[in-house]
Amino acid sequence: MKFTIPQEENMHPGHLACPGCGGALAMRLALKALGKKTMVVLPACCWSIINGPFPYSAVKVPLFHTAFETAGSVSSGIKAALDILGKKDITVLAWAGDGGTFDIGLQALSAAAERNDDFIYVCYDNEAYMNTGIQRSSATPWGAWSSTTPAAKEEPKKNIMDIMVAHRIPYAATASVSYPDDFIRKLKRAKDIKGTRFIHALVCCPTGWKCSSEISIKLTRLAVQSGIFPLYEVENGLKYTLNKPQQISPDNKLIRSYLGAQGRFANLSEKDTKKIVADIKSEWLRLLNKIEGNICIKQ
Amino acid sequence: MKEVMSGNHAVSYGAMLSRAQVIAAYPITPQTQIVEMLSEFCRTGRLKAKFIKVESEHSALAACIGASIAGARAFTATSAQGLALMHELIHWAANGRMPIVMADVNRSMAPGWSIWTDQNDSLSQRDTGWLQFYCESNQEVIDTIIQGYKIAETVLLPVMVVLDAFVLSHTSEGVDIPEQKLVDKFLPPYKPQYKMDLNQTLAFGALVTPDYNFELKYQIQEAMEYSLTLARKVDKEFKRFSGRNYGLIEPYRCARAEIILVTSGTITSTAREVIDNLRKQGEKIGLLKIRMFRPFPAQEVIEALEDCKKVAVIDRNIGYGVGGILCQEIKSAFCNNARRPEIFGYITGIGGRDVTPDTIMEIVIDVRKNNKADNRIKYVGLRKLR
């Protein structure tokens, strides 16, 4: 039998994540892909807790806990120091949640990306401030309940991939722990590229999504299959590649089954659901247009 | 080698001679010349450093924090609004025990917009765990940056070197540039005991429960107290190769003085002239310069002032609702001392208003005619409002 997932474990068996946390699995997979020569920069996010309080650490690599909005800037500083000290073979991995990426950390991230500073930035996106008790972020989807959108969020989710791609960074990709081979491949690919690399990983938070923990993997798989969270890669801000496996067009039934399994969408009316399906379809078309655009570039 | 340079360029030379390895900074008047010159040093290879051109002061200090924890000597410079924007990370650098050196060019806080000097920006950071030095001359600036790294890397606390906007930052003076060879001997490469290291796999800055946190904060206070002794030692050591030292405080013509003025920053130079004149006329008056503000060298201050009759503390800052900040520190130092001079507080020069020898004389005249101090704050050079 051939293992496609590296056997190397760079996470300890003990950690403080909730049952079914997609973010914990994401780190485990990422460190398998990147190996021991990695240094992690961790702004305030669920992982600040998951990694354990002093004197514990759940990972087998050096890790720096930092202020909420500083994943981009601290990573730049660490990389600059490693360079000047002649340690050029270490991967710096910024590991931030959606709040630290879409909201408070966006300025520092954008600046680092504009400088094309040499590190991998992974946003594990569970679509709200889960660590502080499920408050909406700009990554929370339209229609979702959160403790600060007690009816439903009225604004659409910010498209962080478009923002990062607009920086023309060498590599940006979406990834899902429900597709571990694809996830590992993308992290490994990112590792071999120089410059700012950005991975947007949708991860399930059973606590905040109000679903049972055993369907965590299934839900983020559904997100991909239904067209809600397409898996794709963008090179140099220009060349889009749609990854398999996923539907060739958004699937109404799968979208409904994704929404229906989560308590945070329990308040949706039929009209709301229809709007969500329509929005996903139009986003999908927008993505296809970008992929079509590749052909223009080649000519 | 002696060169004529501004206070800002003295900072740049100080950082270069200290062989800063990572610099991260953002432009702000009146600091900008510091980092312009450093980026030129990096371009020409005079300084082998990585210069990260960040998008804000918040990111400037964050990048320095990253560089420091990865084992590099880090430098940044800022002023006023920039320093205030850094505030969260000013705590982070101290609590994380990162020996970063930063130059702050004292500038009045907005609004209204001001680019001129007063000390409210840096004094607002007094309880963060940074050492603070207030400089009087460009020579002192370059020397204090170098001394700053030596102190910072020994006690593992960050150091802020403060200079007045324009009066120092943009004023040129002759500065003796220490020889690189000698600086290297004085300040060897930074070798941290703990850093981001693949062999140590430590997690820095994790959640710390009440079970541990008290001790961590106490250790910062302990390091602060030790840095008084250390700064004295480093200052003496610095004299051995440069011929210059400054002390934590400097009593000037205080022998048998009945009145002593207390100053910091460039007001000191102005006051020296006034004291010289008055001494010539036979008046028993002296001056005490406060160079190190954090940690506050209270015992030295007491010893310098306890024998005189009257002390006039001159503050270029306002602790709103209290008064001059330096004055509060000095009063508090004397609180449990049996012998205590009368302590008068004067506030002047706010927002960069000129402090001239006449301003100082006005203070001298006022303190001469009052024998008993009260807690009223006196303002010098303040226009009548109604």
Side-chain angles (χ1 to χ4, degrees), chain B residues 55-176:
Chain B
E55 87 299 342
S56 72
E57 288 88 353
H58 194 278
S59 285
L61 191 48
C64 284
I65 284 169
S68 185
I69 202 63
R73 188 171 282 161
F75 178 81
T76 188
T78 190
S79 187
Q81 311 305 124
L83 187 69
L85 184 59
M86 285 178 177
H87 181 71
E88 178 195 25
L89 296 167
I90 285 182
H91 279 287
W92 209 282
N95 286 335
R97 306 299 296 269
M98 286 141 189
I100 296 162
V101 171
M102 154 157 63
D104 175 62
V105 184
N106 266 152
R107 161 182 157 175
S108 193
M109 293 298 299
W113 282 118
S114 164
I115 52 172
W116 297 276
T117 199
D118 69 42
Q119 300 170 325
N120 266 62
D121 61 345
S122 56
L123 289 175
S124 297
Q125 308 298 340
R126 67 182 179 174
D127 299 330
T128 53
W130 284 62
L131 279 68
Q132 286 195 353
F133 291 92
Y134 288 77
C135 296
E136 183 191 352
S137 69
N138 295 351
Q139 185 68 60
E140 190 177 341
V141 167
I142 189 171
D143 293 345
T144 305
I145 296 276
I146 299 166
Q147 288 191 6
Y149 275 109
K150 178 118 180 168
I151 298 164
E153 289 169 11
T154 311
V155 291
L156 294 183
L157 284 176
V159 168
M160 196 182 294
V161 178
V162 186
L163 56 153
D164 290 346
F166 299 105
V167 189
L168 217 50
S169 71
H170 286 63
T171 303
S172 292
E173 294 182 325
V175 171
D176 185 21

Side-chain angles (χ1 to χ4, degrees), chain A residues 68-229:
Chain A
F68 215 159
E69 64 282 51
T70 63
S73 41
V74 166
S75 299
S76 296
I78 289 179
K79 190 62 193 179
L82 294 175
D83 273 356
I84 201 90
L85 297 169
K87 297 176 199 168
K88 305 210 180 209
D89 59 341
I90 297 171
T91 303
V92 175
L93 171 67
W95 189 265
D98 49 293
T101 304
F102 288 62
D103 291 348
I104 196 167
L106 187 60
Q107 175 177 323
L109 169 60
S110 168
E114 185 269 333
R115 295 188 300 265
N116 200 21
D117 282 347
D118 189 26
F119 59 84
I120 300 176
Y121 190 110
V122 174
C123 170
Y124 67 105
D125 172 11
N126 53 24
E127 301 198 314
Y129 290 89
M130 298 311 186
N131 196 23
T132 46
I134 326 170
Q135 294 81 31
R136 66 87 88 181
S137 74
S138 60
T140 306
W142 184 92
W145 167 92
S146 77
S147 65
T148 51
T149 51
K153 192 185 176 223
E154 292 171 11
E155 305 80 19
K157 182 184 177 96
K158 188 189 276 185
N159 191 326
I160 194 72
M161 279 294 282
D162 278 0
I163 292 171
M164 294 315 295
V165 166
H167 289 76
R168 302 277 177 104
I169 51 175
Y171 186 68
T174 60
S176 169
V177 292
S178 302
Y179 296 88
D181 286 321
D182 183 72
F183 190 98
I184 298 256
R185 179 184 67 77
K186 283 170 175 167
L187 265 294
K188 282 192 163 171
R189 187 163 180 211
K191 188 185 172 184
D192 292 336
I193 297 170
K194 237 182 123 52
T196 308
R197 295 140 284 168
F198 181 78
I199 309 276
H200 179 203
L202 181 72
V203 294
C204 174
C205 168
T207 313
W209 291 13
K210 301 205 173 294
C211 63
S212 57
S213 58
E214 71 271 20
I215 63 163
S216 171
I217 303 297
K218 194 177 159 190
L219 271 181
T220 37
R221 188 182 299 128
L222 261 177
V224 173
Q225 289 172 336
S226 63
I228 293 171
F229 189 76

Side-chain angles (χ1 to χ4, degrees), chain A residues 36-41 48-49 51-57 59-70 73-74 76-78 80-85 87-88 90 107-108 111 115 117, chain B residues 21-22 48-50 52-56 58-60 62-72 85 88-89 92 98 195-209 212 216:
Chain A
K36 284 210 157 56
K37 285 191 171 179
T38 304
M39 292 182 175
V40 179
V41 176
S48 312
I49 302 300
N51 201 53
F54 171 81
Y56 300 103
S57 183
V59 294
K60 299 178 184 173
V61 294
L63 181 146
F64 186 70
H65 290 271
T66 191
F68 215 159
E69 64 282 51
T70 63
S73 41
V74 166
S76 296
I78 289 179
L82 294 175
D83 273 356
I84 201 90
L85 297 169
K87 297 176 199 168
K88 305 210 180 209
I90 297 171
Q107 175 177 323
R115 295 188 300 265
D117 282 347
Chain B
Q21 293 167 302
V22 174
K48 282 180 185 56
K50 288 265 170 187
I52 310 172
K53 280 106 182 180
V54 288
E55 87 299 342
S56 72
H58 194 278
S59 285
C64 284
I65 284 169
S68 185
I69 202 63
L85 184 59
E88 178 195 25
L89 296 167
W92 209 282
M98 286 141 189
K195 62 177 177 183
M196 294 283 269
D197 184 340
L198 294 178
N199 301 318
Q200 290 179 320
T201 69
L202 301 167
F204 293 89
L207 176 80
V208 50
T209 58
Y212 294 102
L216 293 177

